[in-house]
Amino acid sequence: MKHLQEKAALREFGDNQIIRVSTRIMVPFIQLFGLYVIAHGHVSPGGGFQGGVLLGASYILLALAFDLKTSFKNFSESMNGILGNVGALIYVGTAVLCALVGGLFLDYSALTALLPIDPIQWRYLGVFIVEVGVGLAVMSIMLSLYWDLSSGGDMDEGL
Amino acid sequence: MKAIALLASVITGAVLLYGVQDFAPWADPTSPASTHVASYYIENTVRETYIPNIVTAVLGDYRGYDTMFETVVIFCAGMAVICVLRRSKS
Amino acid sequence: MSGLTAEIVAKYNYWLYVILMMVGLYAMIGKRNLVKKLLGMNIFQTAIILFYVSMGVKRDAGIPIVNKYEVLKNGIDAATVVNPLPHVLMLTAIVVSVSVTGVALAVMLRIYREYGTLEEDEILEKIGK
């Protein structure tokens, strides 16, 4: 245990070419799968929460294999905050928009006033819009939880 | 302390196991949980929303209010972690 | 005795979940380390999630993802699809459990930073001083 801690302090432990290269190959595919899970939440198992966690996990993998600073280069902290807020805002905004155009709160079929298609088709699309918002919010919060917990709030070293 | 904890969990478990005998057997299609309102969702979700995945339809449409505050809950959790842990650089 | 065995065999899933739940409850009450208490709470939540999902199971039924065009044309028999409502409830419960775990770990990190320990009695000793 002591030996492991000393090695980790010298950053030799886990600093491996194989891990770096395989992470670089895997991350785009994990992100693509996350987007697929969000977009196909209607017709296959999945949805906003699951896809958001996958997207967050890809960036967490990046931060684990490299460094916290390297992961900030790929996905900056301010961008993360903006995306998290936008995600929550998409959900609440859609709900308020439904009320503004004359329907009930969160009644997606009222959105036919904006784009005249079948109201039932609007319910299908409304769920999709909402899931995208949930996915963005979950991704941002997962990433922010990992950053804060792994570095103890300093945002410099990481695990 | 550990004896009290063990006693408390054993007694609670015994009470719960006594309550289990009123439950429907496993995988019973006529259990109360599966007969009351669930069949309405299974039969009418596709007709009302065109969504083949019933779980997503209930999550996003019928129980949209619940999911909205779910998002607010995880958002608040992220804010709370930042407030508790983050140290200013200066 | 054979009546008890038949009872257990018919409802073995509930017995397993109650045992799992009690493992979590014992860890929450009996352990002194705060991380172990948190792990006990996670075990407890897992038991509840398993309990809810197993309530929705029906014999010889498929997953709650249906063929849209066929259902629109012919309708569907509710007995051929498992109950989707417990799945929805537990989907939200899992997210709450993740949030609670994150906040609890953050508070623990802060406690460790202040007091240098996560053992409950040592923290109480330091607070009382």
Side-chain angles (χ1 to χ4, degrees):
Chain A
M1 192 66 201
K2 190 94 187 215
H3 178 63
L4 280 180
Q5 280 174 347
E6 279 168 6
K7 269 185 113 174
L10 291 172
R11 305 205 68 76
E12 285 173 8
F13 194 71
D15 193 12
N16 194 328
Q17 196 75 29
I18 296 172
I19 292 176
R20 291 180 172 223
V21 172
S22 56
T23 302
R24 219 175 276 154
I25 296 170
M26 272 163 67
V27 162
F29 288 104
I30 297 176
Q31 288 172 347
L32 201 62
F33 184 58
L35 289 176
Y36 168 79
V37 167
I38 291 181
H40 274 239
H42 307 83
V43 291
S44 63
F49 291 118
Q50 298 90 326
V53 168
L54 272 169
L55 284 177
S58 72
Y59 287 109
I60 289 175
L61 182 64
L62 215 57
L64 272 172
F66 295 91
D67 206 340
L68 220 55
K69 278 186 184 135
T70 330
S71 95
F72 285 149
K73 274 182 207 150
N74 288 295
F75 197 66
S76 72
E77 207 188 329
S78 56
M79 194 66 191
N80 188 39
I82 290 169
L83 277 187
N85 285 290
V86 163
L89 204 64
I90 285 174
Y91 202 129
V92 183
T94 312
V96 171
L97 196 64
C98 296
L100 284 183
V101 297
L104 294 171
F105 194 72
L106 271 171
D107 180 14
Y108 308 125
S109 54
L111 291 171
T112 37
L114 292 180
L115 188 65
I117 52 175
D118 190 9
I120 304 180
Q121 196 67 37
W122 254 119
R123 284 179 87 166
Y124 186 92
L125 284 173
V127 173
F128 173 70
I129 294 168
V130 156
E131 297 265 337
V132 169
V134 171
L136 282 179
V138 169
M139 176 191 78
S140 150
I141 298 304
M142 287 296 138
L143 206 51
S144 136
L145 282 184
Y146 171 76
W147 282 343
D148 278 323
L149 289 175
S150 67
S151 66
D154 293 336
M155 309 293 273
D156 50 357
E157 276 282 313
L159 287 175
Chain B
M1 183 66 195
K2 299 218 159 160
I4 297 172
L6 193 63
L7 194 69
S9 8
V10 166
I11 290 174
T12 317
V15 170
L16 287 176
L17 285 178
Y18 177 72
V20 155
Q21 61 179 323
D22 290 339
F23 274 69
W26 188 68
D28 185 11
T30 58
S31 67
S34 306
T35 48
H36 187 243
V37 76
S39 50
Y40 173 84
Y41 287 107
I42 293 170
E43 281 156 8
N44 294 304
T45 296
V46 177
R47 207 158 40 79
E48 287 176 357
T49 63
Y50 288 165
I51 297 175
N53 188 345
I54 302 174
V55 174
T56 304
V58 177
L59 186 82
D61 196 302
Y62 295 103
R63 290 180 68 88
Y65 210 63
D66 187 22
T67 313
M68 188 176 93
F69 283 102
E70 200 66 40
T71 315
V72 173
V73 162
I74 54 166
F75 196 76
C76 288
M79 294 298 113
V81 169
I82 288 174
C83 291
V84 168
L85 278 182
R86 193 71 62 89
R87 283 191 276 214
S88 58
K89 288 265 160 57
S90 56
Chain C
M1 191 64 204
S2 65
L4 184 68
T5 316
E7 176 81 14
I8 291 174
V9 168
K11 293 167 187 173
Y12 69 96
N13 55 333
Y14 300 123
W15 283 69
L16 285 179
Y17 306 149
V18 168
I19 291 165
L20 200 57
M21 209 184 280
M22 286 313 113
V23 170
L25 188 67
Y26 174 75
M28 274 199 284
I29 303 173
K31 295 290 176 187
R32 290 240 165 80
N33 193 313
L34 291 179
V35 177
K36 287 179 185 171
K37 276 176 189 284
L38 181 66
L39 285 178
M41 196 180 76
N42 273 327
I43 294 171
F44 197 99
Q45 283 169 337
T46 309
I48 296 208
I49 288 167
L50 284 169
F51 167 69
Y52 263 77
V53 169
S54 87
M55 273 203 320
V57 176
K58 291 176 195 166
R59 193 167 284 112
D60 298 330
I63 57 173
I65 297 170
V66 294
N67 188 343
K68 178 172 156 185
Y69 301 104
E70 200 187 309
V71 172
L72 279 178
K73 212 200 289 175
N74 299 328
I76 189 170
D77 181 18
T80 59
V81 173
V82 299
N83 190 353
L85 299 181
H87 297 195
V88 178
L89 295 178
M90 288 307 109
L91 199 59
T92 53
I94 289 168
V95 178
V96 169
S97 124
V98 169
S99 315
V100 168
T101 310
V103 174
L105 284 172
V107 173
M108 273 176 211
L109 262 175
R110 192 65 186 266
I111 288 173
Y112 188 77
R113 208 185 277 163
E114 293 287 322
Y115 296 105
T117 177
L118 281 176
E119 298 292 325
E120 197 185 4
D121 37 3
E122 288 177 30
I123 293 169
L124 287 176
E125 213 172 83
K126 287 193 180 174
I127 290 174
K129 205 159 40 176

